[in-house]
Amino acid sequence: MLFDTHTHLDQSDFDEIRGEVIQRAADAGVTQILAVGCTANDSRKCVSLAAEYPEVYAAVGIQPNYVAEAQNDDWAVIEQLATAPGVIAIGETGLDRHWDYTPFDLQRDYFDRHIRLAQQHDLPFIVHMRDCDDDIMQSLREARTRGILKGIMHSFTGDTAMAAECVELGMHISFAGMVTFRKSQALRDCAATIPDERLLIETDCPYLSPEPVRGKRPNEPANVRHTAECLAQVRGVSLQQLADLTTANARALFGL
Ligand code: NI
């Protein structure tokens, strides 16, 4: 059994095919799926998907690239949704210097709000990072002074030293389809160094289809199996062992 810890199952790519996609996931052994919100509205939709499908759980938050367009009461909506049934994480949050949609100070402010909200409810938070490794580490180190961190570095693309420090701070490291790409040897080498109890897997679907279905859109939770196979090979364990390990890690982290 596999746990896809990061999907955007709420997105319209899945509107006509959501039932089939969840069935294909189950057929592939992917029996638990986290639907992650990027806006207040998306987060609401993730919560209703969690109510509709027993395999689906929800994470609620405002992704850094969408913070600029957030309305005044959107943050209050997230605070309220944090205690809704089926909500097991806060996010996605984080920082992004690749796209220039949201002023960086505002991104930092929202990243910190998400971490505090997660700490307040004893939920893990989900970190998006793009082209800002140093800024992310600075925010995490600061948050760590307030208490143990519990969260996920999602679709991790940093280096081995960064992964080690994240683990040291209490974080889990989650790998998406990118780790399967031919050019990603450094990322596979990094994946080999993550302590057993901190490793997670995800699709980040509908984006980032893994090899051998790279480029296919939409990506879907059933494909997390390819990423699991790649990581099993990299770490010298069987697919079964990798699946058992990452599913147990996810369940423990989410308190399931
Ligand atoms: Ni995402």
Side-chain angles (χ1 to χ4, degrees):
M1 289 203 306
L2 292 160
F3 197 135
D4 186 350
T5 63
H6 197 107
T7 75
H8 298 287
L9 204 59
D10 59 288
Q11 292 198 2
S12 57
D13 300 67
F14 296 115
D15 280 351
E16 307 295 317
I17 54 171
R18 198 168 283 110
E20 295 165 40
V21 161
I22 291 171
Q23 185 57 51
R24 272 201 294 275
D27 294 344
V30 186
T31 52
Q32 291 147 100
I33 298 169
L34 182 54
V36 180
C38 287
T39 66
N41 271 337
D42 290 355
S43 297
R44 264 199 208 96
K45 196 161 170 194
C46 290
V47 171
S48 62
L49 290 176
E52 189 176 347
Y53 298 99
E55 304 86 344
V56 177
Y57 301 92
V60 298
I62 305 175
Q63 204 260 17
N65 295 320
Y66 295 90
V67 162
E69 65 188 52
Q71 304 297 307
N72 278 338
D73 51 355
D74 279 2
W75 180 248
V77 170
I78 298 299
E79 287 180 312
Q80 211 165 34
L81 290 174
T83 57
V87 173
I88 60 171
I90 299 298
E92 62 183 272
T93 181
L95 299 171
D96 192 317
R97 283 198 190 270
H98 182 78
W99 303 106
D100 192 20
Y101 296 145
T102 306
F104 204 71
D105 282 348
L106 192 59
Q107 292 189 36
R108 268 217 189 89
D109 170 32
Y110 269 74
F111 187 23
D112 200 54
R113 290 189 203 195
H114 283 81
I115 298 175
R116 286 173 190 272
L117 184 64
Q119 286 176 324
Q120 182 190 334
H121 293 289
D122 194 27
L123 291 171
F125 57 93
I126 300 171
V127 179
H128 162 102
M129 48 181 266
R130 191 142 184 211
D131 298 347
C132 57
D133 298 6
D134 292 343
D135 306 288
I136 290 274
M137 293 317 299
Q138 195 188 322
S139 290
L140 291 179
R141 284 179 203 126
E142 209 173 280
R144 175 64 184 86
T145 64
R146 302 196 299 263
I148 291 281
L149 297 187
K150 193 164 110 168
I152 301 173
M153 305 304 293
H154 122 75
S155 193
F156 188 76
T157 53
D159 61 21
T160 301
M162 182 182 183
E165 189 181 354
C166 288
V167 165
E168 179 79 33
L169 291 170
M171 303 294 287
H172 284 61
I173 312 292
S174 182
F175 292 93
M178 218 174 300
V179 76
T180 68
F181 298 170
R182 190 171 306 164
K183 62 165 190 192
S184 300
Q185 191 54 48
L187 194 56
R188 282 188 288 279
D189 293 344
C190 169
T193 69
I194 308 302
D196 277 348
E197 67 279 7
R198 297 297 181 82
L199 184 71
L200 297 172
I201 51 174
E202 62 172 82
T203 53
D204 201 15
C205 66
Y207 319 106
L208 283 172
S209 292
E211 294 288 1
V213 291
R214 185 175 179 183
K216 194 182 164 230
R217 179 87 200 244
N219 187 14
E220 60 179 69
N223 291 331
V224 82
R225 193 187 182 91
H226 300 304
T227 301
E229 275 165 5
C230 169
L231 288 176
Q233 198 173 22
V234 161
R235 295 170 66 91
V237 297
S238 68
L239 175 60
Q240 182 69 52
Q241 285 170 314
L242 196 284
D244 289 349
L245 174 72
T246 51
T247 298
N249 287 347
R251 294 189 60 86
L253 177 63
F254 298 130
L256 298 172

